[in-house]
Amino acid sequence: MEKAIPYKIYLEESELPKAWYNVKADMQVKPAPLLDPVTKKPITEEELSKVFCNELVKQELDETNAYIPIPEEILSFYKMYRPAPLVRAYCLEQKLKTPAKIYYKFEGNNTSGSHKLNSAIAQAYYAKKQGLKGVTTETGAGQWGTALSMACSYFGLDCKVFMVKVSYEQKPFRREVMRTYGASVTPSPSDKTEVGKKILSEHPGTSGSLGCAISEAVETASKLDGYRYVLGSVLNQVLLHQTIIGLETKTAMDKYGIKPDIIIGCAGGGSNLGGLISPFMGQKLRGEADYRFIAVEPESCPSLSRGKYVYDYCDTGRVCPLSKMYTLGSGFIPAPNHAGGLRYHGMSSTLSALYDQGYMEAVTVKQTEVFEAAEYFARIEGILPAPESSHAIKVAIDEAKKCIETGEEKTILFGLTGTGYFDMLAYEKFHDGNMVNYRPTDEEILNGLKNIPDVE
Amino acid sequence: MEKAIPYKIYLEESELPKAWYNVKADMQVKPAPLLDPVTKKPITEEELSKVFCNELVKQELDETNAYIPIPEEILSFYKMYRPAPLVRAYCLEQKLKTPAKIYYKFEGNNTSGSHKLNSAIAQAYYAKKQGLKGVTTETGAGQWGTALSMACSYFGLDCKVFMVKVSYEQKPFRREVMRTYGASVTPSPSDKTEVGKKILSEHPGTSGSLGCAISEAVETASKLDGYRYVLGSVLNQVLLHQTIIGLETKTAMDKYGIKPDIIIGCAGGGSNLGGLISPFMGQKLRGEADYRFIAVEPESCPSLSRGKYVYDYCDTGRVCPLSKMYTLGSGFIPAPNHAGGLRYHGMSSTLSALYDQGYMEAVTVKQTEVFEAAEYFARIEGILPAPESSHAIKVAIDEAKKCIETGEEKTILFGLTGTGYFDMLAYEKFHDGNMVNYRPTDEEILNGLKNIPDVE
């Protein structure tokens, strides 16, 4: 017998997870290792430590420890904005007249406006513990940069953010939030790095790209004493930190005797999706329970759905390690859609492996459908969702509608990763009927995959 | 013996308040009645009902019932974003090295970004119940307009917002949030009303004012069948709905055996301050407990601190009832500071009476000090506060610093009314050193008070 389910389930402090969950430990076939981009041999801990913090490199490579204790300092910070609520979408269910039960884990109730803070604080902590002076990173949409600036401010670390120039100019408010937290924000490409200068001289009017901003951030970290580069998605370490989302969710569901049938998340680099599903996936991998997992991608950037499972460059500048993943090719430039956080050519190697092994599904959705779902949800559930998160909303609603036809009382869980307060330009375009959908042609996809590296 | 206090106290659904608290019922000397602006006689329920919804008029005039049950439909909506957390500011205390214990009630975790939703949903509910088609209102900073558009969307009411033209142009994102919730947003002055046309012909280039927007909203409601005008602050009904803030706070504090010594809130029209302090004020009025209450005003708009306690017009167009209140005069134009929600010439008649009777203190703070406190708080507690809320933060920090000197372990409670995501232009000004302070001269204050109406 189910207990009465509150609108919002907040765990008690004593119920909060004390360790992250490393799903790789339960995978029989592990994700393929990262390769050195030059030698194409598996990259060593020592090599990785030149770019990333030591402890984070250990987490990146760890395939055996299922649980990694969360340090006290990080638990303290988590308490400032966690637990995130698990919300029963009663209003949405009523409006849809669906027999389905819909839940969402809402990660937007913090100033970064998204789940990104979960990993930012961990990465800043390990940088501080290693005695570093600061970190560098890139940001596109701005959620990651904001989260990292908050985390660095907390630990008194310097934070240098390279922000894609077009976002820097179009999202001045995001930039200002980062400045509020003491970060220096540089529009990329800049004349502060060699790679930036080179790009500026070759393309004087360029508005920048994530690939270029990554290269500038990596170069800056490598040249400064006591600095390392940090990244907000794709990496195993990031997925690991983000499992706080899924662990809290699972604890809350277990407490009330709820078992989800379908778990849905938007997928860009994979940080939120991996974080949400990992503890459930662990059960599936161990044969303890079964769930349907659905990764939702924008139709304009369908790495799982239409990409290839091969080794590829993680960045356009080709300085980072090679990763085996579903990819559209590091040269693939997704159309300028409004879910900046999902515009990445590749996918987390762990999620790629799980998808390849058949543990997970993927679907693509059109941008205008996503904003229709976003507005519908905002009016019914009150929360104004980020465009990224709205990809998951769209598919959750679709699944709930299927239950109307079949009469099944399925339990649907989705990740509501963040709020859309800084995305109102996109909403404006949608309201004014100026939003377009873009689906890359097969030829464009093949073109993007032309320059994947030759491995074995 | 105190129980261990969590970082954030969330009440259980069963602990949530089921009735609002009407502080007037416990006042021995009641606030002076509203007067008809023409006859200068106390306004009747019938007269008020031409402008406001019937049930809200009853609440406005009620001086005897201490508790007004909250209708089920409103309780349901409250559950979508309430309870709001009562946060123990452990990090702030540690940073300040104060023996004081600091708590804040955070009302920013909803899409309107502030406490305004608490009254918006109540007002929309009573409008719906009365069978109305829609409501009209004005908005300056945009928090109230956003909240009302959300509430109207929930109940399927039409919502017409007149937004001060300068805000309409400078805050396009706020406007877009309102459109997301289906509201029509008109820059004021507009050519849609007689009063708007008149003002436009007299001042072709005007960027509008709250006074003008109120007049346009009232005129529009009066001309349309099935419409009423609604207001987001100042009125008794609004204070009543906002007591959900104080009631939740008090329940949470009682649960953990906490008794605040000082309770601090920012004060514009008084909605948040009145809502937070009312249940505690009730105890003080009944002689059951004592508290220090501090209203924090911007130095540029010091109605309690430097205004006069007289009958005055509530709006610049002089169409609304006269209210006895602390006022700077309806002709007083506050300097364009960045706390739009506090730029009102008067103060709630109930709070004015309590201040006059010596139950409450008032202080003023400089704008730059407010933003220093805001940034300091953001970095330590994570939340990016609205400029309005930051007035309370500034004084809470001041009081906590006093405790360092005296060694007293005072318990300080303040209202954190909202988030500053739509105020980043103001933060930018602050970061760039372009923010100025403004203190009206005695002459300016006297000038503003020249045109107060002649009553008795």
Side-chain angles (χ1 to χ4, degrees):
Chain A
M1 180 67 192
E2 250 182 26
K3 281 190 231 176
I5 313 289
Y7 270 66
K8 293 187 289 184
I9 306 174
Y10 283 105
L11 297 177
E12 305 280 325
E13 272 186 26
S14 58
E15 297 167 324
L16 297 179
K18 302 278 187 297
W20 295 302
Y21 168 65
N22 178 14
V23 72
K24 282 189 294 173
D26 282 316
M27 291 172 72
Q28 294 222 319
V29 182
K30 310 290 182 193
L34 294 171
L35 301 186
D36 182 294
V38 180
T39 66
K40 313 230 167 116
K41 296 210 169 128
I43 202 157
T44 62
E45 189 174 326
E46 196 188 337
E47 283 167 324
L48 269 181
S49 298
K50 290 173 194 162
V51 183
F52 300 112
C53 303
N54 301 344
E55 196 62 31
L56 292 168
V57 169
K58 285 201 178 72
Q59 293 178 358
E60 189 65 30
L61 302 177
D62 190 337
E63 292 185 344
T64 50
N65 295 296
Y67 287 93
I68 316 283
I70 307 174
E72 265 314 313
E73 291 87 339
I74 298 174
L75 287 174
S76 278
F77 188 89
Y78 277 169
K79 283 185 196 164
M80 279 170 59
Y81 69 101
R82 308 200 68 84
L86 176 68
V87 185
R88 171 79 183 264
Y90 281 114
C91 297
L92 182 61
E93 292 170 18
Q94 279 168 23
K95 192 81 176 179
L96 288 169
K97 299 197 175 73
T98 177
K101 291 162 187 169
I102 309 175
Y103 293 85
Y104 56 91
K105 179 73 167 173
F106 180 44
E107 291 287 325
N109 272 349
N110 70 73
T111 293
S112 80
S114 80
H115 66 294
K116 294 287 182 185
L117 197 51
N118 300 331
S119 184
I121 192 62
Q123 297 196 43
Y125 167 77
Y126 290 116
K128 183 73 182 179
K129 203 179 152 204
Q130 195 176 326
L132 298 178
K133 290 179 198 157
V135 293
T136 70
T137 199
E138 78 292 331
T139 201
Q143 291 182 331
W144 168 246
T146 309
L148 189 67
S149 65
M150 290 176 70
C152 286
S153 165
Y154 185 75
F155 284 123
L157 280 170
D158 185 39
C159 179
K160 296 186 192 304
V161 180
F162 288 87
M163 187 170 188
V164 177
K165 192 184 270 175
V166 60
S167 297
Y168 183 89
E169 284 161 1
Q170 286 183 356
K171 292 195 164 186
F173 294 171
R174 271 279 179 209
R175 184 186 73 205
E176 223 44 58
V177 178
M178 290 183 255
R179 284 178 77 192
T180 299
Y181 286 96
S184 76
V185 188
T186 305
S188 166
S190 76
D191 59 7
K192 290 189 180 174
T193 65
E194 293 310 314
V195 65
K197 280 185 221 165
K198 183 160 176 284
I199 289 168
L200 280 174
S201 75
E202 285 168 8
H203 310 277
T206 180
S207 57
S209 73
L210 209 52
C212 170
I214 293 180
S215 305
E216 288 208 278
V218 172
E219 181 187 320
T220 303
S222 70
K223 284 188 175 166
L224 289 173
D225 197 33
Y227 279 72
R228 288 293 184 282
Y229 168 70
V230 297
L231 184 62
S233 188
V234 183
L235 298 173
N236 292 324
Q237 57 190 264
V238 179
L239 258 68
L240 177 73
H241 307 147
Q242 295 296 357
T243 59
I244 189 79
I245 303 172
L247 291 163
E248 275 186 14
T249 303
K250 193 162 181 309
T251 305
M253 290 195 138
D254 287 348
K255 183 174 174 182
Y256 285 91
I258 309 158
K259 185 190 166 292
D261 298 297
I262 309 173
I263 306 178
I264 301 165
C266 62
S271 71
N272 132 72
L273 179 69
L276 175 66
I277 70 175
S278 278
F280 300 95
M281 183 63 83
Q283 289 188 296
K284 185 162 176 168
L285 289 166
R286 297 187 303 267
E288 297 166 7
D290 196 19
Y291 305 98
R292 264 187 78 197
F293 299 103
I294 308 178
V296 189
E297 304 188 299
E299 196 182 43
S300 57
C301 194
S303 46
L304 283 175
S305 307
R306 297 175 68 198
K308 213 170 159 181
Y309 187 44
V310 288
Y311 268 106
D312 195 10
Y313 301 103
C314 290
D315 61 318
T316 320
R318 302 181 178 184
V319 292
C320 297
L322 300 180
S323 172
K324 188 169 182 187
M325 59 184 176
Y326 278 86
T327 177
L328 299 162
S330 64
F332 179 83
I333 307 289
N337 73 43
H338 292 288
L342 306 182
R343 292 181 67 231
Y344 184 64
H345 68 277
M347 179 60 63
S348 138
S349 64
T350 301
L351 292 183
S352 290
L354 288 166
Y355 180 66
D356 186 59
Q357 293 165 26
Y359 286 103
M360 198 169 86
E361 305 164 38
V363 297
T364 66
V365 289
K366 288 186 209 304
Q367 183 162 231
T368 50
E369 293 172 344
V370 166
F371 275 82
E372 275 163 27
E375 183 163 289
Y376 184 79
F377 181 83
R379 292 186 183 186
I380 295 164
E381 286 287 317
I383 295 168
L384 186 83
E388 289 83 357
S389 326
S390 306
H391 285 68
I393 295 173
K394 161 68 182 152
V395 173
I397 290 175
D398 286 349
E399 291 296 330
K401 283 181 177 168
K402 285 181 198 164
C403 290
I404 302 173
E405 289 165 33
T406 63
E408 290 172 289
E409 292 187 19
K410 286 195 178 155
T411 296
I412 300 169
L413 165 67
F414 70 92
L416 188 65
T417 55
T419 50
Y421 304 130
F422 293 100
D423 301 287
M424 295 318 295
L425 273 177
Y427 274 91
E428 186 176 20
K429 258 198 174 164
F430 172 69
H431 294 147
D432 292 342
N434 295 329
M435 184 168 277
V436 292
N437 292 312
Y438 187 75
R439 182 187 153 88
T441 62
D442 290 344
E443 204 186 335
E444 284 170 307
I445 302 250
L446 284 173
N447 264 338
L449 289 168
K450 263 184 192 162
N451 295 310
I452 52 168
D454 191 21
V455 178
E456 275 122 313
Chain B
M1 181 66 193
E2 250 182 27
K3 281 190 232 178
I5 313 289
Y7 270 67
K8 292 187 290 184
I9 306 174
Y10 283 105
L11 297 177
E12 304 281 325
E13 273 187 25
S14 58
E15 298 167 323
L16 296 180
K18 302 279 188 297
W20 295 301
Y21 168 65
N22 177 14
V23 70
K24 282 190 295 173
D26 282 317
M27 291 172 72
Q28 293 222 319
V29 183
K30 311 289 181 192
L34 294 171
L35 302 185
D36 181 293
V38 179
T39 66
K40 311 224 168 123
K41 295 209 170 126
I43 202 156
T44 63
E45 190 175 324
E46 196 189 336
E47 283 167 324
L48 270 181
S49 298
K50 291 173 193 162
V51 183
F52 300 111
C53 304
N54 302 343
E55 195 62 31
L56 293 168
V57 169
K58 285 202 179 71
Q59 293 178 358
E60 189 66 31
L61 302 176
D62 190 336
E63 292 185 343
T64 49
N65 295 297
Y67 287 94
I68 315 284
I70 307 174
E72 265 315 314
E73 292 87 340
I74 298 175
L75 287 174
S76 279
F77 188 89
Y78 277 168
K79 282 184 196 163
M80 278 169 59
Y81 69 102
R82 309 200 68 85
L86 176 68
V87 186
R88 171 78 183 264
Y90 281 114
C91 297
L92 183 60
E93 292 170 17
Q94 280 169 23
K95 192 81 176 181
L96 289 169
K97 299 197 176 74
T98 177
K101 290 163 188 166
I102 309 175
Y103 292 85
Y104 55 92
K105 180 72 168 174
F106 180 44
E107 291 286 327
N109 271 350
N110 69 74
T111 293
S112 82
S114 80
H115 65 294
K116 294 287 182 185
L117 198 50
N118 300 331
S119 183
I121 192 62
Q123 297 195 44
Y125 166 76
Y126 290 116
K128 184 72 182 178
K129 203 179 152 205
Q130 194 175 327
L132 298 178
K133 290 179 199 158
V135 293
T136 70
T137 199
E138 78 293 330
T139 200
Q143 291 182 332
W144 168 246
T146 309
L148 189 67
S149 66
M150 291 176 70
C152 286
S153 164
Y154 185 75
F155 284 123
L157 280 170
D158 184 39
C159 179
K160 296 186 192 305
V161 180
F162 288 87
M163 187 170 188
V164 177
K165 192 183 272 176
V166 60
S167 297
Y168 183 90
E169 285 162 1
Q170 285 184 356
K171 293 194 163 187
F173 293 171
R174 272 279 180 209
R175 184 185 73 204
E176 223 44 58
V177 178
M178 290 184 256
R179 284 178 77 194
T180 300
Y181 286 96
S184 76
V185 188
T186 305
S188 167
S190 76
D191 58 6
K192 289 188 180 174
T193 66
E194 293 311 313
V195 64
K197 280 185 221 165
K198 184 161 175 284
I199 290 168
L200 281 173
S201 74
E202 285 168 7
H203 310 278
T206 181
S207 57
S209 73
L210 209 52
C212 170
I214 293 179
S215 305
E216 289 207 278
V218 172
E219 181 188 319
T220 302
S222 72
K223 284 187 175 166
L224 289 173
D225 197 34
Y227 279 73
R228 289 293 184 282
Y229 167 70
V230 297
L231 184 63
S233 189
V234 183
L235 297 173
N236 292 324
Q237 56 189 264
V238 180
L239 258 68
L240 177 74
H241 307 147
Q242 294 296 356
T243 59
I244 190 79
I245 304 173
L247 291 163
E248 276 187 13
T249 304
K250 193 162 181 310
T251 304
M253 290 194 138
D254 288 348
K255 183 173 173 180
Y256 285 91
I258 308 159
K259 187 192 164 292
D261 297 297
I262 309 173
I263 305 177
I264 301 165
C266 61
S271 71
N272 131 72
L273 178 69
L276 175 66
I277 70 173
S278 278
F280 300 96
M281 183 62 85
Q283 289 188 297
K284 185 162 175 169
L285 289 166
R286 297 188 302 267
E288 297 165 9
D290 196 19
Y291 305 98
R292 265 185 78 196
F293 299 104
I294 308 179
V296 189
E297 303 188 299
E299 196 181 45
S300 57
C301 194
S303 45
L304 284 175
S305 305
R306 296 175 67 198
K308 213 169 158 181
Y309 188 45
V310 288
Y311 268 106
D312 195 10
Y313 301 102
C314 290
D315 62 318
T316 320
R318 303 184 177 182
V319 293
C320 297
L322 300 181
S323 172
K324 188 169 182 186
M325 59 183 176
Y326 278 86
T327 177
L328 299 163
S330 65
F332 179 83
I333 307 287
N337 73 43
H338 291 287
L342 306 182
R343 292 182 66 232
Y344 183 65
H345 68 277
M347 179 60 63
S348 138
S349 64
T350 301
L351 291 183
S352 290
L354 288 166
Y355 181 66
D356 185 60
Q357 293 167 26
Y359 285 103
M360 199 169 87
E361 306 164 35
V363 296
T364 67
V365 289
K366 287 186 209 305
Q367 183 163 230
T368 50
E369 293 171 345
V370 166
F371 276 83
E372 275 162 29
E375 184 162 289
Y376 183 79
F377 181 83
R379 292 186 182 186
I380 296 165
E381 287 287 318
I383 296 167
L384 186 82
E388 290 84 358
S389 326
S390 305
H391 286 67
I393 295 174
K394 160 69 182 153
V395 172
I397 290 175
D398 286 349
E399 291 295 330
K401 283 182 178 168
K402 285 181 198 163
C403 291
I404 302 172
E405 289 165 32
T406 63
E408 289 172 290
E409 292 186 20
K410 285 195 178 155
T411 297
I412 299 168
L413 164 67
F414 70 93
L416 188 66
T417 54
T419 49
Y421 305 128
F422 293 99
D423 300 287
M424 295 319 294
L425 272 177
Y427 274 90
E428 186 176 18
K429 258 197 174 166
F430 172 69
H431 294 147
D432 292 342
N434 295 328
M435 184 168 278
V436 292
N437 292 313
Y438 186 75
R439 182 187 153 86
T441 62
D442 289 344
E443 205 186 334
E444 283 170 307
I445 302 249
L446 284 173
N447 265 338
L449 289 168
K450 262 184 193 162
N451 295 310
I452 53 168
D454 190 22
V455 178
E456 277 124 314

